[in-house]
Amino acid sequence: MRSVVVDPEVPPRTADLFRRHASMLSRIRAGWTPEPSPPNSRLTGRFLNAGGGVAALFLVCLMFLADVGQLLFFMLSLLVFVVFVGLLAAREPAEPETVEQELYREARWYEGRYLLPAEDFDYAAGQLLDRTQQAIDYILRSRVNAAGMLDGVRNSVMLPTQEWEIARLLNKLSSLRNEHQEFVYGGSTPEVAAAMAPLERALAASEAAVLARVEALERYASHVADAERALRAHDQIEALRARLPRYEELLAESGADAFAVPEIGRLTEDADQLEQALRDSVRSAHEAFRHLDLSSSPAADPDSPGESSQEPPAR
């Protein structure tokens, strides 16, 4: 299941919000707006009560106090009362923002910084996006990555960047392919067809370049899978080695140790071989990572070669 692709420069909380509400993002893009929040009824009531109390006290002052000094004193007291009520009102918590309102606000602010799987990619691009996300998800969720056997810091930074760059290129490819197909569907003369041939070759070359990046990710994921299998087998052998003393004790007590000890000794050899295989697998994964890092530099963009990702707006 494809997920929303978000620019890595978007804050993590907002990116997670986008990924959890893809259908609502689609509605927002189509023009839907959430209902505004109702006014804070408790805050309004407090202001009304305070205003009524101030008006009543002021009338009492006018009716029963003739002395100007006393009247000024009561006026100052009323002013202090109003300030006190204002401070209490300022501490009153505002009505919480709904998920729809927060999503709408963030989607408007980060417009163009996320891509929707159901709308921004044609079928061929969607298949490549699937492969990209599956490879990245497997690498980041692997035990060898969690155990620090891979370059976890670079994985957490570089792989989301790879996903965004690949998705951005696939989105442009989808848009240009759709325009090209609509143009061809309307019919064209041989002269126009000849003029369009270089554009078709440009699309094919760009798609091949993006495919190469996806395949590099899949090769890296394949090396990580090898390391995962080696780590799993290594753990199982180590668990068996921990039981060796009990087996050796049983063999010694039964007098059969002369026959079976050589067989059990092979367990140690197997563990050593698996440990070497694990080291080799992790080393291969590191080499695949370096190759991926280098091969990702010259990104082929069908629209504007060398174009970098959009800078975040000043907020």
Side-chain angles (χ1 to χ4, degrees):
M1 191 70 182
R2 274 175 247 150
S3 62
V4 177
V5 187
V6 186
D7 186 342
E9 297 298 323
V10 173
R13 185 180 184 279
T14 301
D16 183 63
L17 185 70
F18 288 168
R19 294 187 184 101
R20 288 187 287 109
H21 298 92
S23 59
M24 200 178 300
L25 280 175
S26 179
R27 292 169 58 197
I28 291 172
R29 184 182 286 181
W32 174 81
T33 57
E35 294 292 331
S37 296
N40 193 326
S41 57
R42 289 182 297 175
L43 190 60
T44 304
R46 179 168 290 180
F47 272 118
L48 290 176
N49 291 335
V54 169
L57 288 173
F58 184 70
L59 290 174
V60 169
C61 290
L62 291 178
M63 291 173 61
F64 296 102
L65 297 176
D67 185 82
V68 176
Q70 291 180 342
L71 185 60
L72 289 175
F73 174 76
F74 272 93
M75 290 297 293
L76 289 174
S77 300
L78 290 177
L79 180 61
V80 172
F81 175 74
V82 170
V83 171
F84 177 72
V85 172
L87 290 174
L88 289 179
R91 297 180 59 185
E92 184 77 20
E95 291 291 333
E97 188 179 41
T98 64
V99 174
E100 291 83 1
Q101 291 167 340
E102 181 184 10
L103 183 66
Y104 179 80
R105 171 172 51 80
E106 296 297 315
R108 293 294 300 272
W109 182 260
Y110 291 107
E111 188 174 358
R113 307 284 294 282
Y114 60 89
L115 296 170
L116 303 179
E119 300 175 14
D120 292 327
F121 306 96
D122 60 17
Y123 179 80
Q127 295 298 306
L128 288 178
L129 181 62
D130 279 339
R131 292 167 59 180
T132 300
Q133 293 185 333
Q134 288 171 8
I136 291 175
D137 186 66
Y138 182 83
I139 294 166
L140 294 178
R141 292 176 181 271
S142 65
R143 284 182 60 204
V144 290
N145 186 63
M149 296 180 182
L150 306 175
D151 194 338
V153 175
R154 292 191 68 195
N155 276 343
S156 63
V157 173
M158 191 271 284
L159 293 180
T161 301
Q162 285 284 320
E163 180 187 23
W164 172 248
E165 287 300 317
I166 290 173
R168 191 176 61 85
L169 292 170
L170 288 174
N171 171 248
K172 290 188 175 184
L173 273 170
S174 299
S175 177
L176 289 175
R177 271 198 298 244
N178 288 336
E179 293 177 6
H180 189 80
Q181 290 172 358
E182 290 175 0
F183 192 84
V184 172
Y185 183 76
S188 59
T189 63
E191 293 79 8
V192 173
M196 291 175 62
L199 302 180
E200 294 175 349
R201 289 194 293 270
L203 287 175
S206 297
E207 183 176 8
V210 177
L211 176 61
R213 295 178 69 166
V214 175
E215 290 174 342
L217 270 175
E218 290 177 328
R219 282 194 297 272
Y220 181 32
S222 176
H223 286 294
V224 172
D226 292 339
E228 284 281 283
R229 287 189 290 270
L231 177 61
R232 190 180 308 111
H234 179 266
D235 290 346
Q236 292 171 341
I237 292 294
E238 287 299 321
L240 291 175
R241 288 180 66 177
R243 301 177 186 176
L244 274 180
R246 295 167 57 195
Y247 285 89
E248 291 170 347
E249 180 182 355
L250 175 63
L251 289 170
E253 291 179 0
S254 63
D257 54 329
F259 300 98
V261 166
E263 296 293 330
I264 294 180
R266 294 176 186 170
L267 193 62
T268 301
E269 297 176 6
D270 292 342
D272 293 339
Q273 292 175 0
L274 280 171
E275 189 167 352
Q276 182 61 43
L278 177 59
R279 285 197 296 267
D280 293 342
S281 298
V282 171
R283 185 163 51 250
S284 297
H286 278 290
E287 292 173 357
F289 181 91
R290 284 194 294 269
H291 175 73
L292 173 65
D293 205 9
L294 292 173
S295 65
S296 65
S297 300
D301 192 324
D303 187 30
S304 54
E307 177 185 344
S308 60
S309 59
Q310 181 181 357
E311 290 294 327
R315 190 169 188 174

